[in-house]
Amino acid sequence: MDGGKAPEALTDRQIKARKRLIKIERDLGRRLMSVLEDVLIEGRTIEQVSQSKAQSVLKLHGGLFRVALNELATIYCFSNGEPVESES
């Protein structure tokens, strides 16, 4: 043993949260989950996520983020079921 402390056991709350994240990733798919993580967890802007200043690329990633948020709202029953208007 290296003399370090043994890792603390996960709490029931942490285990449930991890299971929810796994389910959300399965429901959303890796691409939408990646955009959500980049913006909501890492604090990156859409421009940073897209790694581009081209409007078409920014709109694509902004659209992915919007879709991902709408899907989350539906999963957690925060959606009123109305479609989101496109900015096109």
Side-chain angles (χ1 to χ4, degrees):
M1 191 161 211
D2 64 2
K5 293 183 178 180
E8 293 184 31
L10 295 176
T11 65
D12 288 341
R13 188 173 178 187
Q14 290 170 317
I15 292 168
K16 287 178 184 176
R18 180 67 185 142
K19 286 180 182 179
R20 280 194 313 268
L21 285 174
I22 290 169
K23 181 188 182 315
I24 289 169
E25 184 171 346
R26 186 175 54 243
D27 291 346
L28 293 180
R30 186 66 213 139
R31 188 168 188 185
L32 292 180
M33 188 68 176
S34 177
V35 172
L36 278 179
E37 287 175 350
D38 284 345
V39 174
L40 298 178
I41 296 171
E42 300 298 327
R44 297 174 68 198
T45 65
I46 296 298
E47 190 173 280
Q48 291 169 325
V49 171
S50 66
Q51 298 177 346
S52 175
K53 292 185 182 188
Q55 283 300 312
S56 59
V57 178
L58 291 172
K59 283 185 177 184
L60 169 69
H61 284 89
L64 289 173
F65 182 63
R66 185 178 305 111
V67 167
L69 288 177
N70 287 335
E71 289 296 318
L72 274 182
T74 301
I75 290 169
Y76 285 104
C77 301
F78 292 124
S79 173
N80 61 8
E82 295 180 17
V84 175
E85 292 293 322
S86 163
E87 291 182 21
S88 306

